[in-house]
């Protein structure tokens, strides 16, 4: 599947700017981690996984990570892409456990990019470029802040990767700095 085909599929099922922007943020974050973790030859695939991870969320929020599997299977999309995107719903909506390092990264950064984005919107600079770990940690501890971003999932993702929470946040900020202002 090419990036263009993935975008066409995504926009068939997603129209809201928020969801399209989130998909692109996760796509670029995944590409960054592909390079950083030694999977440069898989960078495009990692990006497509990031782009399509919430394919079904806008139209089928109650069947998230379930309906997307059906949609992709009907289109003959390769099983490894289906597994990778579905695995980010592990212990939430599906029992498909992230196995590959790429799936663990997706699991960890999906919620975290949303939380960091919320922190950035609250900052005077509105920029990730001057964002520090301590600012994210302060907001992270406030359960009412970005309440839709599951701290449990973020922490489980860090554990899957064998990273500390601070390391995951720091590395994700670094990823976002490569393509956001």
């Amino acid at each position: 599947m090419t990036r263009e085909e993935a975008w066409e599929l995504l926009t068939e099922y997603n129209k809201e700017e928020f969801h399209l922007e989130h998909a692109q943020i996760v796509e670029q974050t995944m590409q960054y981690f592909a390079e950083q973790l030694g999977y440069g030859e898989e960078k495009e695939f990692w990006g497509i996984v990031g782009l399509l991870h919430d394919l079904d969320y806008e139209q089928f929020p109650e069947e998230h990570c379930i309906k997307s599997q059906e949609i992709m299977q009907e289109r003959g999309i390769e099983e490894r892409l289906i597994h990778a995107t579905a695995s980010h719903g592990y212990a939430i909506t599906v029992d498909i456990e992230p196995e590959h390092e790429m799936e663990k990264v997706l699991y960890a950064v999906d919620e975290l990019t949303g939380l960091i984005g919320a922190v950035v919107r609250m900052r005077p600079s509105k920029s990730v470029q001057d964002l520090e770990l301590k600012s994210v940690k302060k907001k992270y501890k406030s359960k009412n802040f970005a309440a839709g971003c599951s701290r449990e999932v973020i922490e489980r993702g860090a554990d899957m990767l064998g990273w500390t929470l601070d390391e995951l946040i720091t590395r994700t900020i670094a990823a976002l700095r490569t393509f956001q202002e």
Side-chain angles (χ1 to χ4, degrees):
M1 169 173 269
T2 66
R3 200 272 180 195
E4 292 72 30
E5 291 168 335
W7 181 254
E8 192 174 302
L9 179 59
L10 179 70
T11 56
E12 182 179 332
Y13 287 89
N14 292 268
K15 306 298 182 201
E16 292 180 22
E17 187 60 36
F18 175 82
H19 292 138
L20 296 174
E21 184 179 312
H22 173 68
Q24 292 174 89
I25 288 168
V26 176
E27 171 192 25
Q28 291 173 304
T29 302
M30 292 297 291
Q31 289 174 334
Y32 171 88
F33 278 109
E35 291 281 350
Q36 292 295 308
L37 299 173
Y39 298 94
E41 72 284 351
E42 295 261 313
K43 181 179 176 178
E44 185 173 331
F45 180 75
W46 283 46
I48 290 169
V49 168
L51 192 65
L52 292 178
H53 79 283
D54 280 346
L55 174 65
D56 59 2
Y57 188 77
E58 187 175 311
Q59 289 189 21
F60 308 100
E62 300 303 315
E63 297 177 85
H64 181 43
C65 295
I66 298 165
K67 192 70 174 172
S68 63
Q69 293 177 70
E70 294 172 19
I71 293 166
M72 289 188 213
Q73 285 166 347
E74 288 170 3
R75 293 171 189 249
I77 293 172
E78 65 179 302
E79 184 56 38
R80 110 182 150 125
L81 178 57
I82 297 169
H83 185 280
T85 55
S87 72
H88 90 281
Y90 175 66
I92 306 162
T93 57
V94 297
D95 62 357
I96 301 168
E97 190 168 355
E99 296 167 359
H100 188 279
E101 190 169 21
M102 176 259 306
E103 295 171 344
K104 295 172 184 178
V105 169
L106 175 62
Y107 190 89
V109 303
D110 177 30
E111 298 283 315
L112 182 56
T113 56
L115 188 133
I116 292 172
V119 173
V120 167
R121 284 188 292 282
M122 300 294 294
R123 297 177 59 73
S125 68
K126 306 277 191 245
S127 174
V128 73
Q129 298 303 323
D130 61 353
L131 182 63
E132 295 179 17
L133 172 64
K134 66 180 181 181
S135 299
V136 176
K137 291 286 293 256
K138 182 178 179 184
K139 293 293 190 183
Y140 185 93
K141 290 175 186 170
S142 172
K143 300 301 179 202
N144 292 332
F145 181 80
C149 297
S150 170
R151 276 60 165 177
E152 181 183 338
V153 168
I154 294 167
E155 291 165 18
R156 192 180 306 135
D159 288 344
M160 286 179 187
L161 289 163
W163 299 351
T164 66
L165 179 60
D166 286 4
E167 183 180 7
L168 175 61
I169 294 170
T170 300
R171 291 177 90 161
T172 305
I173 290 170
L176 295 172
R177 283 182 180 155
T178 65
F179 60 88
Q180 288 189 335
E181 295 193 15

